[in-house]
Amino acid sequence: MFTVSITPQKGCRFLRPSSILMSARRPGRRARSGSRGRVRLVYRSLQSAQDYLESGDFGTAFAHYLLLLNLAPELKEIIRESFQNTLFKWAEELNSLSRIQDIFDCYEQALELYPNNEVIWNSMGEHLFSMGFRDEAAGYFHKAVKLNPDCADARENFYRVANWLVERWHFLMLNDKKRNVAYQRAIQKAVQSGCTSVLDIGTGTGILSMFAKKAGACQVYACELSKTMYELACEVVASNQMAGEIKILHMKSLDVEIPKDLSSRVSLVVTETVDAGLFGEGIVESLIHAWKYLLLPPKPAGQEGPTEGFGRVIPMHAVVFGMAVECQEIRRHHRVCFNEIGGLQMNDAITWYSPVSSKPCNGDAAEPYTTERMRQVPGGYTPLTDHFQAMTIDFNSPQDLEELTDRKPCRLYLPVIKEGVLDAIVAWFVLQLDDETSLSTGPDEETCWEQAVYPVQGVLGQIVKCGDTLVIDVSCKNSYLVFHSIAVLRHENNKEIEMNTLSDQPSSHLACEAELCNALANLQTTSDSGMTLLQCMLESSEIARLNNTQYNDHFKSALSSVLSSLMPVDSGTHFSQIVDDRNCENTNFHCSSNSTLDTLYLLDVSEGFSILPLIAAKLAPIKVFSSLEKAQQQATLSTLAESNNISKDLLEFWHNYLDDDSTLLQRPQSGKLWSVIILDAIETCGLIRQGLVEKAALARCLLRPEGRLLPRCITIYGMLIESETLQQESAVQGKEPTLGFNIAPFINQFKVPIHVFLHLSTLPHVQLSEPMELLKLDLLGLVTDDVCSEIRVQVHSSGSLTAVPFWYEIYLDMDISLNTWSESSHWKQAAFVLDNPIQVNSGDELLLKIRYHKSSISMTVNHV
């Protein structure tokens, strides 16, 4: 989250009006009578501005500063800091009053006066971002960085939004020479056959439009919805001397009209608006509209002769393929895999599921699939069926496109070829660009695309065996490719004996078939005890954290140690014995009768669903507070507490008592302090959470004297590597992959130095050094979020240093720690990617300078 800083910059002070006016006068000239009045007005304006600023009337102070600067622009630099301070305070006040337009007006006025002030540009970007205008905010951050590349705040803000504005797949796609050559070949062939007017839908950087123009197209149009990508395309096209030959439209193709935007219908549409699930970027809707309103009619099937007067689309058609797989990495992100976690029994009455559902999308905006690069998934995968053809779609048939979403689901019967746990259906496609050219996104291909993954949920440990048959329905719903109503037909001696339906709910048409009636009749909606099932949706990262046994067990050990030091017990009774007693059924924990210790309070401010409060309450009768906000998740945690014999009086939800999230780290009640505070230190993506040091400092103030903060410190580790894959994902590598077009300098403006969500265990790389400690953050003692270190690293293998991946050792106490690069970790890793690779030889020594500033890590690497 971005916050607008209103603290005056270092050195900012209130200046005496007389001293300012003296410095502004031109020496050696006597003021004429007319200028004396101006001087008096300037003096009064400055005095009033500072009086109102000191009294806290920021709006009136801002108005007087505007008057002053219009009267005496020569004072701009002298009062710059005071003006900025007033602007930021007034903007914050306007924001609290929801006077959004007034904020914009103030910043516009400020930027007219200070057009080259990176601090004001950055601050306006922060306001825009906090309001949800990421695209616009990025423009302001980008401008601030251009004005001053050393402005750390603007640079860090820009890096955070760059991933949203220009997603990382743009770099991979532009570096995919095979893909670029295929599209160029197909477009060139189409244009030379008579398709001389071209519309590029979703142009991105404009590369397909430039292919068309280079091939000889007379008219080339391109449309792009993203403001950032539209501006980028304009720059790219201009740099390749095609600005007057390609008309770029900042709009959705669905809003393009003739003759307003296009002079007439075009003969060729080129597009690559496809995602891992083929339809997810709206290609079907956009092509239906194009055939109705923008394209010439298609050439009748079977008609020979010239193509002039007819329209066509590249790609020509697509074939979707799939296969069923066993994959532990997918399983642990979409299915709770254990009946006991951290000493807690997971209630059978709770059904856990992730947002990625295998059932049809009935108005649900969530995608029915996630994506993975299967050839790099940790632990690999095992095919349980042969790959199968799931669907074919003809993009050059308006009728086929219009009928796609109304088609009845296609039922597939797939023989199981290998015994294993059914974890997911993996899908990919082959794009047939024309009769001769195709591109495959399959898991065995060296491609920029990932594969679509449809997790199978709802059944713990669903084993399939050779001889079984998977029954899968395939359809296109709400513009998504969907695999649903997945079922397993069991066979023994050629006789059907059992069927299990794995979807969350059976679809209605399944019940019509005799072979499924018996199975559907036996479906249960209650547990064996008769209790109604409670459904709880968790993010895949939250499910992975539940499945991280090391994480939960280590926290259990650390909490046991903390509580044993905080809670006195009867003489001769060891805390571990009490814990064992509490884990026995119908055993009540009692502190010694003569104990005068107040109730202990624990606050868990973990992001998302966390069972740590219950793990603590299972160990001892302490009052635990969870920071869960969602009612469904609160109900689930309460149900877990009840089924584990934890008194309902011991569990509270802190957000239920708060009107404002900013007051989260409060005392539990008047006069009381927290005994234990649990902070969530590391984001799943591999970065330190925003504001961690500030939260830790505040938490320390709210702990009782003997209270504990978990974790207590974090050590950052890293190593030197060579990785071409990271380079490809970081930036376009010159003109060669883009077939001579000058694109790299423009899109590379949006590269970021830190790459996140890395699977370091499967990332193709060469290790050039041993792992080393980069930096340590002591959460028990840090008072500033600006920490630096310098280390010398010896290279043990020659190569090209391209990146420094990093991970964390999270110390819950001095003896118990969690490593974010372990086999069971739910965390991913991150990497600092060098702008320019460094050639190193074995035995070389490098100097690394690491800085942690405002929750961000930066690094420089040089030879010693």
Side-chain angles (χ1 to χ4, degrees):
M1 179 181 294
F2 291 99
T3 56
V4 179
S5 173
I6 62 170
T7 305
Q9 294 183 356
K10 291 181 179 179
C12 180
R13 63 189 190 281
F14 295 114
L15 302 174
R16 290 187 302 162
S18 57
S19 63
I20 293 179
L21 293 178
M22 287 294 292
S23 63
R25 285 177 179 167
R26 295 179 182 177
R29 290 191 180 183
R30 295 182 59 187
R32 294 188 294 270
S33 59
S35 65
R36 292 194 188 97
R38 172 181 171 274
V39 169
R40 284 195 295 271
L41 183 56
V42 168
Y43 182 93
R44 285 199 298 269
S45 297
L46 179 58
Q47 184 66 61
S48 297
Q50 298 200 155
D51 288 345
Y52 283 115
L53 180 59
E54 290 185 73
S55 66
D57 188 347
F58 306 120
T60 307
F62 183 72
H64 280 282
Y65 272 126
L66 289 179
L67 175 61
L68 171 65
L69 289 170
N70 279 286
L71 287 170
E74 65 273 13
L75 300 179
K76 283 199 304 183
E77 286 307 308
I78 299 173
I79 65 169
R80 175 174 54 85
E81 291 182 358
S82 294
F83 176 77
Q84 286 176 187
N85 188 35
T86 306
L87 169 66
F88 299 157
K89 287 178 177 288
W90 178 225
E92 184 178 75
E93 189 172 315
L94 291 172
N95 189 51
S96 67
L97 299 172
S98 299
R99 292 170 57 182
I100 307 304
Q101 187 57 53
D102 289 338
I103 295 175
F104 293 160
D105 292 342
C106 288
Y107 272 95
E108 284 182 9
Q109 291 171 310
L111 288 172
E112 286 179 5
L113 293 166
Y114 293 93
N116 297 319
N117 187 307
E118 73 277 5
V119 178
I120 297 177
W121 281 95
N122 179 63
S123 180
M124 182 60 195
E126 290 175 335
H127 275 291
L128 286 167
F129 187 90
S130 68
M131 298 171 196
F133 300 107
R134 290 176 177 171
D135 225 5
E136 292 79 2
Y140 282 83
F141 296 146
H142 195 199
K143 176 69 173 180
V145 173
K146 281 187 173 180
L147 288 170
N148 182 6
D150 295 326
C151 181
D153 289 346
R155 191 172 63 248
E156 289 165 9
N157 285 341
F158 178 68
Y159 289 156
R160 291 191 185 107
V161 298
N163 284 314
W164 284 304
L165 299 175
V166 179
E167 295 182 89
R168 301 302 95 185
W169 54 260
H170 279 285
F171 297 107
L172 274 175
M173 191 166 282
L174 289 165
N175 282 320
D176 189 343
K177 186 176 180 180
K178 179 181 176 182
R179 168 257 187 193
N180 296 337
V181 168
Y183 260 95
Q184 184 187 50
R185 184 182 298 128
I187 291 171
Q188 182 176 9
K189 183 178 174 183
V191 170
Q192 292 176 350
S193 70
C195 297
T196 58
S197 56
V198 181
L199 171 62
D200 178 5
I201 295 178
T203 193
T205 59
I207 189 170
L208 301 188
S209 297
M210 293 190 294
F211 286 163
K213 192 62 197 177
K214 185 176 180 180
C218 299
Q219 294 176 305
V220 180
Y221 305 92
C223 57
E224 175 58 52
L225 179 60
S226 163
K227 183 174 184 291
T228 300
M229 295 306 299
Y230 162 75
E231 293 174 348
L232 182 61
C234 290
E235 289 182 317
V236 168
V237 167
S239 76
N240 287 277
Q241 291 76 50
M242 295 184 182
E245 301 174 337
I246 298 174
K247 182 179 180 180
I248 306 177
L249 308 169
H250 181 212
M251 61 175 63
K252 291 176 67 174
S253 68
L254 301 179
D255 297 327
V256 175
E257 298 177 3
I258 294 174
K260 179 183 175 182
D261 304 303
L262 309 185
S263 60
S264 60
R265 286 180 177 258
V266 298
S267 53
L268 176 65
V269 161
V270 296
T271 187
E272 200 182 30
T273 50
V274 292
D275 68 341
L278 185 60
F279 303 132
E281 289 191 14
I283 189 172
V284 173
E285 184 183 17
S286 62
L287 289 183
I288 289 174
H289 176 269
W291 279 115
K292 284 183 178 179
Y293 304 109
L294 308 175
L295 259 170
L296 292 170
K299 187 176 181 179
Q303 180 174 324
E304 301 294 334
T307 59
E308 292 182 12
F310 298 110
R312 60 176 294 191
V313 172
I314 295 176
M316 183 171 66
H317 70 256
V319 182
V320 178
F321 295 91
M323 66 180 171
V325 301
E326 175 181 27
C327 180
Q328 185 178 6
E329 181 69 11
I330 294 172
R331 183 190 316 151
R332 73 190 191 99
H333 279 83
H334 299 279
R335 187 187 300 164
V336 176
C337 300
F338 302 99
N339 293 319
E340 187 270 334
I341 299 175
L344 298 173
Q345 296 299 314
M346 307 308 288
N347 197 317
D348 291 338
I350 301 173
T351 299
W352 312 88
Y353 64 98
S354 77
V356 186
S357 175
S358 59
K359 61 186 177 181
C361 301
N362 295 321
D364 189 355
E367 291 185 347
Y369 51 84
T370 182
T371 64
E372 290 283 356
R373 184 162 283 108
M374 294 302 295
R375 59 190 171 91
Q376 292 182 17
V377 71
Y381 67 94
T382 301
L384 302 178
T385 66
D386 289 325
H387 72 270
F388 57 87
Q389 183 173 316
M391 179 183 292
T392 300
I393 178 68
D394 186 353
F395 296 127
N396 279 282
S397 170
Q399 182 179 356
D400 199 21
L401 289 165
E402 290 179 356
E403 292 176 351
L404 179 62
T405 55
D406 296 326
R407 286 185 198 171
K408 290 184 178 180
C410 173
R411 173 153 300 162
L412 303 174
Y413 295 85
L414 310 172
V416 174
I417 61 170
K418 188 176 181 63
E419 180 176 339
V421 179
L422 178 57
D423 291 316
I425 306 297
V426 175
W428 64 95
F429 55 88
V430 172
L431 276 183
Q432 196 69 38
L433 301 184
D434 59 20
D435 291 330
E436 299 175 348
T437 309
S438 65
L439 289 170
S440 172
T441 68
D444 296 327
E445 302 288 339
E446 289 286 340
T447 173
C448 58
W449 277 285
E450 295 181 327
Q451 291 74 51
V453 175
Y454 298 77
V456 175
Q457 302 183 50
V459 179
L460 181 62
Q462 178 63 48
I463 302 293
V464 295
K465 300 179 180 180
C466 293
D468 291 346
T469 300
L470 291 187
V471 184
I472 301 175
D473 283 356
V474 186
S475 61
C476 179
K477 295 291 184 182
N478 295 337
S479 299
Y480 286 116
L481 175 69
V482 183
F483 290 83
H484 54 94
S485 302
I486 304 169
V488 182
L489 282 166
R490 306 287 189 193
H491 293 269
E492 187 175 285
N493 298 325
N494 296 322
K495 181 180 178 181
E496 177 188 315
I497 60 170
E498 180 187 1
M499 175 178 172
N500 293 323
T501 300
L502 305 183
S503 298
D504 293 330
Q505 296 178 348
S507 59
S508 59
H509 66 274
L510 282 177
C512 300
E513 299 193 17
E515 74 232 26
L516 307 183
C517 287
N518 185 51
L520 295 179
N522 292 326
L523 284 176
Q524 296 181 349
T525 57
T526 60
S527 65
D528 293 338
S529 63
M531 184 184 300
T532 301
L533 290 175
L534 175 64
Q535 293 191 329
C536 182
M537 187 192 78
L538 302 179
E539 296 297 328
S540 60
S541 59
E542 295 172 316
I543 294 177
R545 182 163 62 183
L546 278 178
N547 286 324
N548 186 346
T549 55
Q550 186 184 68
Y551 173 89
N552 294 294
D553 290 344
H554 279 33
F555 258 104
K556 179 184 176 182
S557 298
L559 286 167
S560 177
S561 175
V562 168
L563 295 176
S564 67
S565 66
L566 294 178
M567 183 167 285
V569 295
D570 289 324
S571 177
T573 304
H574 194 272
F575 183 79
S576 60
Q577 178 183 337
I578 296 172
V579 172
D580 291 339
D581 290 342
R582 272 187 58 78
N583 289 333
C584 296
E585 191 173 356
N586 301 322
T587 299
N588 294 321
F589 179 98
H590 296 285
C591 290
S592 65
S593 58
N594 61 356
S595 172
T596 60
L597 186 67
D598 292 335
T599 301
L600 302 183
Y601 292 89
L602 177 146
L603 174 64
D604 176 21
V605 290
S606 298
E607 295 288 332
F609 189 83
S610 169
I611 61 171
L612 298 182
L614 297 190
I615 291 176
K618 185 75 171 176
L619 292 169
I622 67 171
K623 191 83 169 179
V624 295
F625 288 80
S626 166
S627 57
L628 285 177
E629 297 181 70
K630 297 178 181 177
Q632 178 197 53
Q633 295 186 356
Q634 290 185 1
T636 301
L637 202 65
S638 297
T639 300
L640 273 178
E642 182 181 357
S643 64
N644 281 274
N645 299 316
I646 297 171
S647 171
K648 64 180 180 181
D649 296 328
L650 295 181
L651 174 63
E652 297 280 358
F653 297 100
W654 192 235
H655 273 284
N656 295 349
Y657 297 93
L658 303 179
D659 296 324
D660 182 1
D661 284 348
S662 65
T663 59
L664 180 61
L665 285 171
Q666 288 185 352
R667 300 181 181 187
Q669 64 185 55
S670 178
K672 300 293 183 182
L673 291 172
W674 298 107
S675 310
V676 182
I677 296 178
I678 300 174
L679 297 180
D680 203 348
I682 307 299
E683 294 185 43
T684 306
C685 68
L687 296 179
I688 295 174
R689 287 202 178 275
Q690 289 292 301
L692 175 63
V693 171
E694 294 91 331
K695 287 181 180 178
L698 178 57
R700 294 197 300 269
C701 298
L702 300 175
L703 284 172
R704 57 193 304 167
E706 68 277 18
R708 299 290 182 85
L709 179 65
L710 301 179
R712 59 182 299 149
C713 73
I714 298 169
T715 302
I716 307 171
Y717 288 91
M719 64 182 180
L720 311 181
I721 67 167
E722 176 180 353
S723 175
E724 183 181 351
T725 299
L726 275 180
Q727 283 184 286
Q728 298 287 321
E729 293 178 356
S730 302
V732 176
Q733 304 297 309
K735 292 184 178 181
E736 197 269 337
T738 54
L739 312 186
F741 287 109
N742 188 31
I743 298 176
F746 303 95
I747 194 167
N748 286 351
Q749 295 177 81
F750 294 88
K751 65 182 180 181
V752 295
I754 303 291
H755 278 242
V756 295
F757 284 110
L758 296 179
H759 292 301
L760 189 51
S761 62
T762 58
L763 175 73
H765 70 275
V766 176
Q767 188 172 329
L768 303 179
S769 77
E770 296 299 323
M772 65 275 186
E773 181 179 318
L774 300 178
L775 194 69
K776 181 174 289 187
L777 301 177
D778 180 8
L779 299 183
L780 294 182
L782 270 180
V783 294
T784 175
D785 62 352
D786 197 342
V787 183
C788 300
S789 72
E790 290 187 6
I791 60 170
R792 291 173 178 261
V793 183
Q794 189 168 50
V795 176
H796 68 44
S797 297
S798 300
S800 178
L801 172 60
T802 57
V804 182
F806 56 90
W807 60 96
Y808 311 91
E809 191 78 23
I810 305 170
Y811 288 89
L812 305 181
D813 62 24
M814 295 304 294
D815 301 316
I816 302 172
S817 65
L818 292 163
N819 191 297
T820 64
W821 185 25
S822 66
E823 188 175 341
S824 63
S825 173
H826 63 278
W827 291 287
K828 304 297 189 297
Q829 294 79 52
F832 175 79
V833 181
L834 278 64
D835 278 337
N836 300 299
I838 300 175
Q839 296 300 316
V840 295
N841 297 308
S842 178
D844 285 356
E845 198 171 49
L846 300 179
L847 179 66
L848 273 61
K849 295 182 179 180
I850 303 99
R851 184 186 185 193
Y852 171 80
H853 176 68
K854 291 189 175 181
S855 306
S856 297
I857 296 174
S858 59
M859 190 180 304
T860 60
V861 183
N862 294 289
H863 275 101
V864 173

